[in-house]
Amino acid sequence: MSDRELRFGDGKISGVIAMALGALSLLAVLCFRFPELLTTPDLRAVYPVPLLRGVLFVSILISLTASLISFALSRSRLLPVLGLTSTAAAIGLGGAWVETHDPGAQARYLGLDWFVLDLLLLAVLFVPLERAFSLHRAQPILRRGFRTDLAHFFVSHLLVQGTVLLTMAPAAALFGWVVSAEFRTAVRGQPIALQVLEAAFLADLFQYWIHRFAHSSSWLWRFHRIHHSSSQLDWLAGSRLHLVDIVITRAVSFVPLFVAGFSDAAMTTYVVLVSFQAVLIHANVDWRFGKLEWLFATPFYHHWHHTAEPDAIDRNFAVHLPVIDWLFGTLHRPARWPRTYGIDGDPIPDNWFAHLVAPFANTAETEPDRAP
Ligand SMILES: [Zn+2]
Ligand SMILES: [Zn+2]
């Protein structure tokens, strides 16, 4: 796979589709076969298995067809061979009719089902949207850093049990004494929409300050700068986060949510909305929302957080509500979109493992390089 744009007729689009769907089908079959190891209990409780078997069946069919088309059109055999091999393995292991079983209680698990489903959903939604409403039209789908970001996406989804645990544990351990049963009952008695709005405001208020601190503290910046190292943004770029950055930011943002004790329905709605918003604000789409841009974070607003243009350094820290940046004097809303993204000098090598170890490297280049 190169970073060149995909073009119709050279067999590369079909090759990429074959390989991607073949690999996802194989991983999905593995989830069905080993649910106790590879599936997420919360997610399994809500997804309809017959529908997913149908999706798996269609995915296998498309992958097979795309492999054949790519064989016919492409001089390179790598992509169709990978597509065909992974699809054959998926079929060999049971295909869409693979047997499964109730895993019972799971002490330890990997979120492989979460990875497969989330990637498929986001790709199906955002790849066509980014083609239709491209902000940076010359930017290919398989842009520079795409594979690195896919690795970040893979690992963070796989380790969901650990990151959720580490996100929630500090609040419970340190702030249990603040919790009041009457206060929580009153909070839960409010309409769900109001609770979601309050959750977004409180979480973003705490997120704002830890995020702002991550830009000024040389120790935290070592981790957070990984997120800023993308030189091109799209729906997958938001996944580029160091695991330590994920845990610290989420653990701090979770403190007010834990103390307030919002209802399960409100928390689920909040998590779904913010997960989607976190993807959307990085997307390569040219959407503007007029006056509504004051109400919620948009791609325009967060793209400015990712540029190294001097006026925009250390601006737009909020991720849900721009009013928080306005309150604390860090809102940046010029008339145009930023022209470039990333960190001056591009100091971090573009691969997942380098990102993992970079914060621990004892070099001068890890000093804050975005300080105002
Ligand atoms: Zn930042
Ligand atoms: Zn970002």
Side-chain angles (χ1 to χ4, degrees):
M1 234 188 309
S2 82
D3 287 346
R4 284 186 299 112
E5 179 55 294
L6 302 175
R7 281 188 299 271
F8 282 106
D10 64 5
K12 199 169 164 195
I13 294 177
S14 48
V16 169
I17 291 173
M19 191 193 67
L21 287 183
L24 287 178
S25 301
L26 177 58
L27 296 179
V29 169
L30 291 174
C31 290
F32 275 108
R33 284 185 80 96
F34 307 106
E36 63 283 353
L37 282 176
L38 303 177
T39 66
T40 319
D42 288 345
L43 202 57
R44 230 186 24 250
V46 293
Y47 56 56
V49 171
L51 176 68
L52 293 188
R53 284 186 186 277
V55 172
L56 177 55
F57 180 70
V58 172
S59 163
I60 287 173
L61 273 186
I62 295 177
S63 178
L64 283 176
T65 314
S67 299
L68 296 177
I69 293 173
S70 185
F71 265 123
L73 293 176
S74 173
R75 265 176 288 148
S76 162
R77 294 281 176 255
L78 181 65
L79 291 173
V81 164
L82 286 173
L84 212 55
T85 313
S86 50
T87 314
I91 295 169
L93 288 168
W97 287 272
V98 57
E99 283 189 23
T100 190
H101 55 270
D102 185 344
Q106 295 166 257
R108 296 268 183 278
Y109 57 85
L110 296 171
L112 189 62
D113 58 342
W114 172 221
F115 166 75
V116 172
L117 289 171
D118 203 25
L119 185 65
L120 196 63
L121 269 175
L122 293 176
V124 165
L125 184 63
F126 278 99
V127 170
L129 279 179
E130 290 192 348
R131 288 299 93 190
F133 304 100
S134 254
L135 170 64
H136 302 289
R137 295 191 176 277
Q139 180 175 306
I141 297 171
L142 304 177
R143 55 163 172 86
R144 183 179 168 211
F146 186 90
R147 276 169 288 182
T148 303
D149 292 352
L150 189 59
H152 278 285
F153 188 90
F154 180 68
V155 173
S156 61
H157 281 67
L158 224 55
L159 300 183
V160 63
Q161 183 185 25
T163 50
V164 167
L165 214 69
L166 289 171
T167 293
M168 297 170 108
L174 299 173
F175 295 96
W177 58 275
V178 186
V179 171
S180 145
E182 296 89 65
F183 179 65
R184 280 184 158 184
T185 307
V187 168
R188 286 175 192 174
Q190 304 173 100
I192 289 183
L194 187 58
Q195 289 187 58
V196 172
L197 199 63
E198 290 165 354
F201 179 75
L202 289 171
D204 210 13
L205 190 61
F206 277 59
Q207 186 280 142
Y208 174 93
W209 283 106
I210 190 66
H211 188 179
R212 191 164 165 174
F213 187 49
H215 278 240
S216 59
S217 145
S218 60
W219 186 79
L220 277 180
W221 175 249
R222 285 170 172 248
F223 298 97
H224 184 57
R225 71 186 191 135
I226 301 299
H227 184 63
H228 282 272
S229 66
S230 298
S231 57
Q232 296 182 316
L233 295 185
D234 69 359
W235 61 280
L236 199 58
S239 307
R240 179 178 293 216
L241 284 160
H242 197 282
L243 289 167
V244 172
D245 192 13
I246 292 178
V247 167
I248 290 178
T249 305
R250 289 187 193 165
V252 170
S253 312
F254 183 67
V255 168
L257 307 183
F258 168 76
V259 173
F262 294 106
S263 68
D264 288 350
M267 282 303 291
T268 305
T269 311
Y270 167 72
V271 168
V272 170
L273 284 177
V274 302
S275 306
F276 180 75
Q277 192 190 20
V279 176
L280 176 68
I281 59 178
H282 295 94
N284 178 27
V285 289
D286 62 359
W287 294 341
R288 298 298 306 267
F289 296 86
K291 295 259 186 295
L292 292 176
E293 288 184 354
W294 288 95
L295 287 183
F296 56 87
T298 59
F300 179 79
Y301 168 81
H302 193 66
H303 276 224
W304 273 108
H305 183 67
H306 275 269
T307 183
E309 291 185 31
D311 288 354
I313 301 275
D314 297 336
R315 296 287 178 267
N316 296 6
F317 290 109
V319 289
H320 308 326
L321 304 169
V323 68
I324 297 175
D325 273 295
W326 177 76
L327 275 174
F328 298 116
T330 48
L331 184 70
H332 187 64
R333 273 184 95 247
R336 61 170 176 86
W337 288 83
R339 295 192 178 95
T340 59
Y341 305 103
I343 302 171
D344 267 346
D346 229 356
I348 305 171
D350 184 21
N351 72 72
W352 180 84
F353 187 73
H355 288 179
L356 185 71
V357 298
F360 307 103
N362 194 19
T363 61
E365 75 175 25
T366 50
E367 290 305 305
D369 31 15
R370 289 174 57 87

